[in-house]
């Protein structure tokens, strides 16, 4: 499995120049105090936004505890095209595997999560978007807090995004709309800097088929995601941009920000008075390098503990601390301190399906990706001057679409609204299948499809009291009629795409089960090949203050507790209909405002 994608042989040679971002502690013995205003658990995508914003006030002290390692000098993390080699099953991954998935012929598959500074923002594929206004307005409706509506949330894009126009002389005037972006925020976002040989055909198809219109800005603040356009990625000048290279790098020299890596949080401890039994301001951790809970260390927050451990780590820590469903905790003899049956439930993810075509000639990237000498030369070029395909993301074009009315009429529409897409289309100039390795010959074109409004619901549950045991992760993929129907419709859609004139002299056929023609055949193709876009969410879901549902209140405080909040992708009641790192950044920006306003 590890070698299924590509490039994993380069993981070992990961020593590189120094960007020297980090003034980072590596061992608990280096802490000079055990008391901080705020303790943030997880130096990930959301956690490092909070670390930056909360220490803007120089008198506020913040400790960030991160189980993982540094991102400094790690070539696969820094070089955009090598992103897919950061996971699975590496020193930068939690190495999780799902439970057997009944909707996927009982298959299991790796479930990558970044385990390093920047969290999954240092391990992801860098596609950057914000979702539709309808996604955010639904969150405002469900939570009863108009502060989550698009109208309020869009202000955070100005603080967050730092759009960078590529400076290599290419003409990008048709690839994005400047007025829909911010050029003054923290995280660099940019456009492709290297053309795949399929790009012009993809764009030509948008002119040939009305079903697939061209979208001049697939990630802008007008929320128009439908159609096909140029991917925007969190990268700049041939390097990845993550929460670590942006929010942490610009705050790291503040004396009152302390970041400790190799620190595995094992439990939150209640303050031991009758009145304080619901107050969780004490954090227990141990050295992640030892994979042992002893010796353990304790730190205290005077204001708040904030869990930003992600959609797997956050429910795991809550459950280990006695905050969860009695049915999950009692069998493990964990005292139920807060009975919340929703912790770890409501897991949502975007299923991803590779659909592969065989193509003419040798212009696809396959022949390069099979040849260590050519990859080595490309990496050397990237090291020399940050050019070539290694300086670019693995995909250049993506698109989004809705089901057509004849299909949608059979269901209650799960999309947040009528302009929110149901599925995504991703174009790759090579064999891109996380399950089946690239064959030893042939040239390929992969059109991946992803379901972005899933109705299946899964769960995360600890299976022992040992924090170093991985939790059971059950995304429960393709469990509903809507989900499998939408996957089948997405395959039909990309087959219509692939017969546009633009592909006449290029595509020669389908690969494997994609050849199926009946709905039943295509359903089997989907069940055999679907895995994940790596977007687990909603396991500590937000609900209205007076609702018995949900794990957190609209202000992200954990229901029934004081001193404890969750700020990460796990709080979204519905998974955003887009690549979620942008929504995570926006959430964390507002969360910082909410926290500052409380104290
Ligand atoms: C391979 C991959 C590709 C992806 N591609 C994209 C993409 O192209 N575009 C996009 O928008 N999104 C993508 N995503 C998803 C996106 O990166 C995540 O949804 C997002 O970054 C999650 O942010 P978060 O803050 O919720 O969690 P994370 O960023 O995962 O942060 C959680 C942090 O907490 C730490 N942690 C967990 N448990 C503990 C503990 N017990 N003690 C201490 N620390 C702990 C983790 O090590 C991690 O650093 C991808 C994800 C992956 C894994
Ligand atoms: C994940 O696997 C890699 C490679 O085998 C290993 O180096 C790393 O320590 C593992 N990480 C965890 C958290 O188990
Ligand atoms: C999946 O496993 C379950 C339980 O073992 C079994 O009942 C079912 O038939 C299996 N499904 C497939 C498609 O193999
Ligand atoms: C860039 O392309 C646009 C539209 O395709 C064109 O109008 C413009 O003149 C071009 N700019 C340059 C500098 O070539
Ligand atoms: C890629 O091709 C498009 C036309 O299809 C062109 O507008 C763009 O400038 C090219 N980009 C690069 C990086 O060469
Ligand atoms: C906060 O910063 C001051 C100096 O500005 C320093 O004396 C103090 O030790 C810092 N506290 C912490 C907890 O880092
Ligand atoms: C936990 O809460 C649920 C519903 O909120 C309730 O049905 C159940 O009885 C409670 N269990 C315990 C052990 O308190
Ligand atoms: C970068 O280096 C490669 C060879 O290593 C060279 O061919 C290319 O012209 C260089 N590009 C720039 C912009 O310097
Ligand atoms: C709508 O979906 C049906 C069923 O898959 C398909 O036959 C038809 O071509 C689709 N029409 C459009 C315009 O997408
Ligand atoms: C790959 O090689 C095998 C065995 O030589 C051959 O049967 C097959 O047709 C080749 N496939 C392609 C796509 O060239």
């Amino acid at each position: 499995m590890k070698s299924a994608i590509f490039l994993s042989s380069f993981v070992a040679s990961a020593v590189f120049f120094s960007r020297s971002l980090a003034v980072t502690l590596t061992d608990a013995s280096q802490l000079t105090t055990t008391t901080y205003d705020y303790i943030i658990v997880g130096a990930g995508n959301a956690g490092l936004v909070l670390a930056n914003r909360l220490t803007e006030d120089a008198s506020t002290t913040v400790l960030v505890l991160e189980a993982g390692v540094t991102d400094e000098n790690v070539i696969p993390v820094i070089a955009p095209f090598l992103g897919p080699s950061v996971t699975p099953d590496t020193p930068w991954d939690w190495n999780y595997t799902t439970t057997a998935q009944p909707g996927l012929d009982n298959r299991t598959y790796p479930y990558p999560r970044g385990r390093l500074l920047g969290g999954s923002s240092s391990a992801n594929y860098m596609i950057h978007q914000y979702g539709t206004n309808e996604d955010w307005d639904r969150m405002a409706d469900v939570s009863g807090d108009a502060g989550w509506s698009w109208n309020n949330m869009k202000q955070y894009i100005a603080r967050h995004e730092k759009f960078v126009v590529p400076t290599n002389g290419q003409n990008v005037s048709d690839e994005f709309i400047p007025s829909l972006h911010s050029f003054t925020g923290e995280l660099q976002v940019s456009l492709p800097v290297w053309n795949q040989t399929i790009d012009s055909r993809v764009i030509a198809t948008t002119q040939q088929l009305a079903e697939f219109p061209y979208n001049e800005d697939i990630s802008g603040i007008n929320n128009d995601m439908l159609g096909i356009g140029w991917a925007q990625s969190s990268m700049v000048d041939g390097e990845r941009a993550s929460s670590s290279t942006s929010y942490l790098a610009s705050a790291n020299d503040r004396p009152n920000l302390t970041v400790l890596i190799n620190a595995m949080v094992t439990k939150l401890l209640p303050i031991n008075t009758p009145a304080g039994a619901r107050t969780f301001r004490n954090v227990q951790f141990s050295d992640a390098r030892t994979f042992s809970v002893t010796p353990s260390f304790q730190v205290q927050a005077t204001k708040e503990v904030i869990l930003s451990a992600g959609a797997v780590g956050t429910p795991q820590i809550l459950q280990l601390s006695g905050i969860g469903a009695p049915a999950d905790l009692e069998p493990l003899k964990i005292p139920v301190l807060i009975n919340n049956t929703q912790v770890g439930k409501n897991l949502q993810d975007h299923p991803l399906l590779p659909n592969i075509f065989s193509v003419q000639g040798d212009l696809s990237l396959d022949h390069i990706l099979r040849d260590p000498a050519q990859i080595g030369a490309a990496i050397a070029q990237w090291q020399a001057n940050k050019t070539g395909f290694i300086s670019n993301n693995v995909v250049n074009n993506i698109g989004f679409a809705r089901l057509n009315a004849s299909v949608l009429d059979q269901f209650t529409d799960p999309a947040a609204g009528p302009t929110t897409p149901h599925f995504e289309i991703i174009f790759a100039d090579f064999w891109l299948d996380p399950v089946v390795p690239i064959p030893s010959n042939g040239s390929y074109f992969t059109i991946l499809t992803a379901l972005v409004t899933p109705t299946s619901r899964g769960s995360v549950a600890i299976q022992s009291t040992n924090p170093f045991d991985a939790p059971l992760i059950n995304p429960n993929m393709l469990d509903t009629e809507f989900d499998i129907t939408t996957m089948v419709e997405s395959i039909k859609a990309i087959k219509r795409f692939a017969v546009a004139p633009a592909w006449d002299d290029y595509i020669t056929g389908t690969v494997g089960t994609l050849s199926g023609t009946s709905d039943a055949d295509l359903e089997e193709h989907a069940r055999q090949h679907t895995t994940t876009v790596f977007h687990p969410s909603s396991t500590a879901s937000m609900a209205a203050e007076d609702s018995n549902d949900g794990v957190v209140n609209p202000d992200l405080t954990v229901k029934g507790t004081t001193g404890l909040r969750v700020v990460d992708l796990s709080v979204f009641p519905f998974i955003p209909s887009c690549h979620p790192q942008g929504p995570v950044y926006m959430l964390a920006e507002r969360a910082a405002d909410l926290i500052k306003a409380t104290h």
Side-chain angles (χ1 to χ4, degrees):
M1 183 61 70
K2 177 174 169 179
S3 60
I5 295 205
F6 52 88
L7 299 171
S8 51
S9 54
F10 291 91
V11 163
S13 60
V15 184
F16 186 43
F17 61 87
S18 172
R19 286 189 300 173
S20 119
L21 317 161
V23 184
T24 300
L25 306 185
T26 56
D27 195 280
S29 63
Q30 296 161 335
L31 293 178
T32 54
T33 172
T34 57
T35 304
Y36 300 82
D37 292 328
Y38 299 99
I39 297 171
I40 298 169
V41 178
N45 195 344
L48 291 180
V49 176
L50 295 175
N52 178 313
R53 294 306 180 202
L54 295 177
T55 56
E56 280 173 343
D57 171 1
S59 66
T60 300
T61 59
V62 170
L63 172 67
V64 188
L65 295 172
E66 167 57 47
V69 298
T70 183
D71 59 339
E72 231 178 339
N73 305 335
V74 182
I75 291 182
V77 171
I78 302 167
F81 197 90
L82 303 187
S85 66
V86 179
T87 63
D89 228 347
T90 66
W92 313 291
D93 185 15
W94 284 86
N95 303 346
Y96 295 134
T97 301
T98 67
T99 60
Q101 296 295 288
L104 305 180
D105 291 346
N106 286 342
R107 284 182 295 118
T108 67
Y109 50 89
Y111 213 56
R113 305 275 79 213
R115 190 172 176 277
L116 71 168
L117 289 177
S120 295
S121 81
S122 294
N124 68 19
Y125 291 14
M126 305 179 299
I127 307 281
H128 198 70
Q129 300 188 290
Y130 302 110
T132 65
N133 53 328
E134 295 163 348
D135 284 327
W136 291 98
D137 290 346
R138 173 164 65 178
M139 187 144 117
D141 279 353
V142 167
S143 66
D145 176 2
W148 295 115
S149 68
W150 174 254
N151 239 352
N152 186 53
M153 291 305 293
K154 65 183 177 201
Q155 66 179 301
Y156 292 105
I157 293 173
R159 278 190 213 173
H160 161 67
E161 180 177 298
K162 183 182 179 65
F163 199 97
V164 180
V165 178
T167 53
N168 61 356
Q170 74 194 81
N171 185 347
V172 294
S173 66
D174 289 342
E175 297 186 12
F176 85 116
I177 301 171
S179 61
L180 302 181
H181 290 274
S182 162
F183 296 79
T184 54
E186 288 286 332
L187 182 84
Q188 296 93 341
V189 176
S190 196
L191 287 161
V193 290
W194 186 85
N195 262 341
Q196 307 189 339
T197 52
I198 54 169
D199 295 354
S200 57
R201 294 180 196 269
V202 172
I203 300 305
T205 306
T206 65
Q207 277 127 37
Q208 292 166 353
L209 300 181
E211 186 184 350
F212 303 98
Y214 183 61
N215 184 330
E216 199 178 335
D217 197 320
I218 207 90
S219 301
I221 62 166
N222 63 346
N223 309 111
D224 177 10
M225 283 172 57
L226 299 174
I228 288 168
W230 294 88
Q232 298 175 23
S233 301
S234 46
M235 59 181 195
V236 63
D237 299 336
E239 294 187 3
R240 172 192 296 270
S242 67
S243 65
S244 173
T245 69
S246 56
Y247 288 86
L248 177 59
S250 64
N252 219 9
D253 58 359
R254 295 179 189 161
N256 281 338
L257 172 60
T258 306
V259 180
L260 176 63
I261 58 172
N262 305 315
M264 173 79 171
V265 170
T266 53
K267 209 181 213 180
L268 309 175
L269 301 171
I271 291 177
N272 202 13
T273 62
R278 291 163 169 260
T279 300
F280 292 85
R281 288 202 183 94
N282 294 349
V283 179
Q284 190 177 69
F285 68 96
S286 51
D287 191 325
R289 294 166 294 190
T290 65
F291 293 91
S292 163
V293 290
T294 53
S296 80
F297 307 92
Q298 261 192 53
V299 282
Q300 301 88 40
T302 54
K303 295 197 168 98
E304 292 190 17
V305 171
I306 301 154
L307 291 182
S308 295
V312 175
T314 286
Q316 179 190 25
I317 293 167
L318 290 172
Q319 290 167 344
L320 288 167
S321 310
I323 303 171
D328 290 331
L329 306 186
E330 280 165 358
L332 303 174
K333 303 202 165 31
I334 295 176
V336 181
L337 301 184
I338 304 288
N339 171 6
N340 186 319
T341 59
Q342 295 305 299
V343 173
K345 306 298 189 289
N346 199 39
L347 172 61
Q348 297 167 47
D349 195 3
H350 293 152
L352 177 76
L353 172 65
N355 304 291
I356 305 182
F357 298 86
S358 53
V359 300
Q360 308 271 10
D362 60 1
L363 289 179
S364 75
L365 282 168
D366 299 285
H367 64 293
I368 297 176
L369 299 179
R370 283 188 196 107
D371 179 355
Q374 289 195 65
I375 297 176
I379 292 176
Q381 176 181 341
W382 173 81
Q383 284 183 286
N385 59 23
K386 298 289 172 331
T387 64
F389 72 90
I390 299 289
S391 65
N392 194 53
N393 206 341
V394 289
V395 300
N396 280 353
N397 294 110
I398 61 173
F400 293 84
R402 283 180 61 81
L403 289 172
N404 74 34
S406 66
V407 178
L408 194 52
D409 282 352
Q410 305 160 36
F411 300 96
T412 305
D413 186 357
T419 68
T420 296
H422 296 114
F423 62 92
E424 178 178 6
I425 307 173
I426 302 168
F427 303 95
D429 199 13
F430 55 96
W431 177 289
L432 181 56
D433 183 334
V435 175
V436 185
I438 179 171
S440 57
N441 60 351
S443 299
Y444 303 95
F445 168 41
T446 309
I447 312 185
L448 301 112
T449 57
L451 165 61
V452 297
T453 54
T455 58
S456 301
R457 297 291 181 264
S459 60
V460 171
I462 52 171
Q463 48 184 335
S464 92
T465 55
N466 181 354
F468 289 97
D469 286 347
L472 289 171
I473 303 172
N474 175 15
N476 202 18
M477 290 255 170
L478 303 186
D479 177 53
T480 65
E481 200 52 40
F482 175 83
D483 288 7
I484 187 66
T485 301
T486 306
M487 283 312 258
V488 168
E489 289 303 318
S490 76
I491 307 164
K492 293 184 197 168
I494 62 96
K495 284 188 160 188
R496 293 190 292 270
F497 186 93
V499 296
W503 305 98
D504 276 355
D505 62 349
Y506 191 62
I507 291 178
T508 54
T510 56
V511 169
T513 47
L514 181 60
S515 63
T517 49
S518 69
D519 283 10
D521 289 345
L522 297 180
E523 175 174 337
E524 202 37 46
H525 168 65
R527 294 201 189 280
Q528 280 178 25
H529 295 279
T530 293
T531 60
T532 172
V533 205
F534 324 106
H535 299 165
S537 76
S538 309
T539 49
S541 182
M542 184 193 307
E545 190 109 39
D546 59 3
S547 163
N548 291 327
D549 262 356
V551 175
V552 300
N553 292 308
D555 64 0
L556 309 181
T557 53
V558 175
K559 285 178 180 270
T561 71
T562 50
L564 182 60
R565 274 185 230 241
V566 176
V567 181
D568 60 31
L569 189 58
S570 58
V571 303
F572 283 79
F574 293 92
I575 187 170
S577 66
C578 64
H579 294 266
Q581 69 169 348
V584 169
Y585 281 114
M586 290 170 72
L587 174 97
E589 286 279 10
R590 178 167 188 240
D593 278 358
L594 291 173
I595 293 165
K596 287 176 178 173
T598 307
H599 301 280

